[in-house]
């Protein structure tokens, strides 16, 4: 009786070990999301109390670190749970990211003053600081060389700007996020002291169970054994078999990261300096009119990600990537040709936002599909995109300052062309990796099809050869 039940018990034991391992990974991810989202609310609440630049810098750095953790874990978990169907969910995730970037400055704007601020210590250049801070929250950098205190009416009492309320409101708006994550941990029965009696949410998700069930009950947690997979953000550096991996594996990571470095760099640079370009000759738009450009850009990105959700059902991510990259180059080229047209500046801003909107989620789904959802690509791509958005703003800003406003669009054209060339390199590495996997599978199939007598004969020949050498 025990011998009949033993295979079934062994299979159930493997299934149980795999389930426990996945629950441990899910608990770690949700715990990190809970702590990071709660930390953001706490930091936003204490930012108005930071009257020292060093304290403010530390608070902002911790807030950025928490946001980076949330961004990476959210992308990794969606890819790990839904795998081949993750492109749709990634589009939805990044739609809400763009929606938040569009709405949050509108929440803070009513609490900012154009003329002055009475928060903490007041200095001589407080008006310039608040004016710059207002336009920074709008993602609209403004040239301040014509603004000085001498142009302000001295007889009027400066209008009070209560910036603290903006941060406190954002902290309150963010509070439901850690509460929702905590409720999700309760529903998934991951809190030891408060176990839920209702079934786990992932057990009800037929799409997730279909993707996880495709692995089979006897599938071992390979990422635990090999040091790779979605269980660790730094799994790429911990794989013990890095020397055995092909060149195409590393090429896909590097080139895919460089593509997002360029495209997200365009997003950051355009959102940061399109205002400066619009108020400068030859367009010379009024300040208020130029201020709408950044809002239109982020609205187009948000709308583009929303439209990309149904498109992902019909088209493969690689096709959407080709269309989007070609659209970016054509749009920036038209902006360069029609650089004196203020009307086409608004049209081009809308088109550029639409084409740039879905590049990141499509690239993430495409590279993870190439690498069979091992998880390394997600962390590399998220890091590369963040670095590109940071570095390109500094690079393009310094070029604009030295060469003039027209170099803004020229930089965008060069960056877009480099990103497209790198994308074709990614297609080349994809083909190399596919050929490598095909050759590996053929070799393994040939080994499996060998008759049992051949390996035994080979072992006998080897033993005889060793005996002759020893004698």
């Amino acid at each position: 009786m025990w011998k009949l039940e033993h295979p079934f018990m062994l299979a159930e034991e493997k299934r149980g070990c795999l389930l426990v391992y996945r629950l441990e990974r899910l608990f770690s991810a949700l715990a990190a999301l809970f702590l990071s989202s709660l930390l953001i609310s706490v930091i936003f609440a204490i930012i108005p109390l930071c009257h020292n630049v060093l304290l403010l810098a530390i608070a902002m750095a911790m807030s950025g670190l928490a946001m980076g953790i949330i961004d990476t874990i959210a992308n990794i978990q969606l890819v790990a749970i839904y795998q081949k169907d993750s492109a749709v969910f990634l589009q939805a995730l990044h739609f809400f990211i763009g929606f938040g970037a569009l709405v949050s400055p509108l929440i803070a704007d009513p609490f900012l003053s154009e003329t002055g601020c009475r928060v903490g210590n007041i200095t001589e250049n407080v008006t310039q600081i608040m004016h710059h801070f207002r336009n920074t929250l709008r993602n609209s950098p403004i040239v301040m060389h014509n603004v000085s205190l001498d142009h302000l009416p001295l007889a009027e009492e400066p209008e009070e700007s209560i910036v603290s309320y903006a941060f406190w409101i954002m902290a309150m708006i963010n509070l439901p996020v850690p509460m929702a994550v905590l409720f999700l941990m309760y529903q998934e029965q991951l809190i030891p002291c408060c176990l839920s009696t209702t079934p786990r949410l992932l057990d009800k998700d037929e799409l997730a169970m279909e993707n996880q069930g495709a692995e089979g009950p006897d599938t071992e947690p390979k990422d635990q054994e090999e040091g790779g997979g979605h269980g660790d953000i730094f799994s790429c550096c911990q794989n013990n078999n890095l020397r055995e991996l092909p060149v195409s594996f590393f090429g896909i990571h590097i080139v895919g990261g460089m593509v997002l470095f360029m495209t997200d760099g365009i997003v950051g640079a355009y959102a940061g300096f399109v205002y400066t370009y619009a108020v400068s000759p030859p367009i010379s738009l009024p300040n208020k009119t130029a201020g709408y450009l950044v809002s239109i850009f982020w609205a187009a990105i948000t709308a583009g990600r929303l439209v990309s959700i149904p498109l992902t059902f019909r088209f493969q991510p690689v096709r959407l990537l080709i269309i989007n990259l070609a659209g970016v180059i054509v749009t920036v080229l038209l902006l360069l040709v029609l650089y004196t047209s203020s009307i086409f500046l608004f049209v081009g801003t809308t088109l550029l936002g639409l084409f740039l909107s879905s590049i990141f989620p499509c690239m993430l789904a495409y590279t993870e599909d190439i690498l069979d959802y091992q998880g390394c690509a997600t962390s590399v791509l998220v890091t590369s995109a963040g670095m590109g958005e940071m570095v390109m703003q500094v690079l393009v800003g310094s070029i604009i300052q030295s060469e003039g406003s027209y170099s803004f669009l020229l930089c965008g054209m060069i960056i877009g062309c480099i990103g497209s060339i790198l994308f074709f390199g990614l297609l080349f590495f994809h083909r190399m990796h596919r050929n490598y996997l095909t050759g590996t599978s053929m070799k393994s199939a040939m080994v499996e099809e060998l008759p049992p007598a051949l390996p035994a004969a080979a072992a006998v020949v080897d033993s005889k050869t060793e005996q002759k050498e020893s004698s």
Side-chain angles (χ1 to χ4, degrees), residues 34 37 40 44 47 55-56 115 254 288-289 328 339 358 360 377 403 412 438 458:
F34 171 74
S37 56
I40 290 175
F44 270 65
I47 278 178
L55 294 177
L56 182 61
T115 57
I254 296 172
K288 186 176 181 180
T289 304
V328 169
Y339 67 97
S358 60
F360 182 91
E403 302 297 333
T438 303

Side-chain angles (χ1 to χ4, degrees), residues 63 90-91 99-100 128 188 194 199 249 309 364 382 409 443:
S63 177
L90 289 172
Q91 296 285 1
F99 184 74
Q128 297 184 16
E188 292 297 314
C194 302
F249 178 85
I309 295 175
L364 191 59
V382 171
L409 293 177
K443 289 180 181 179

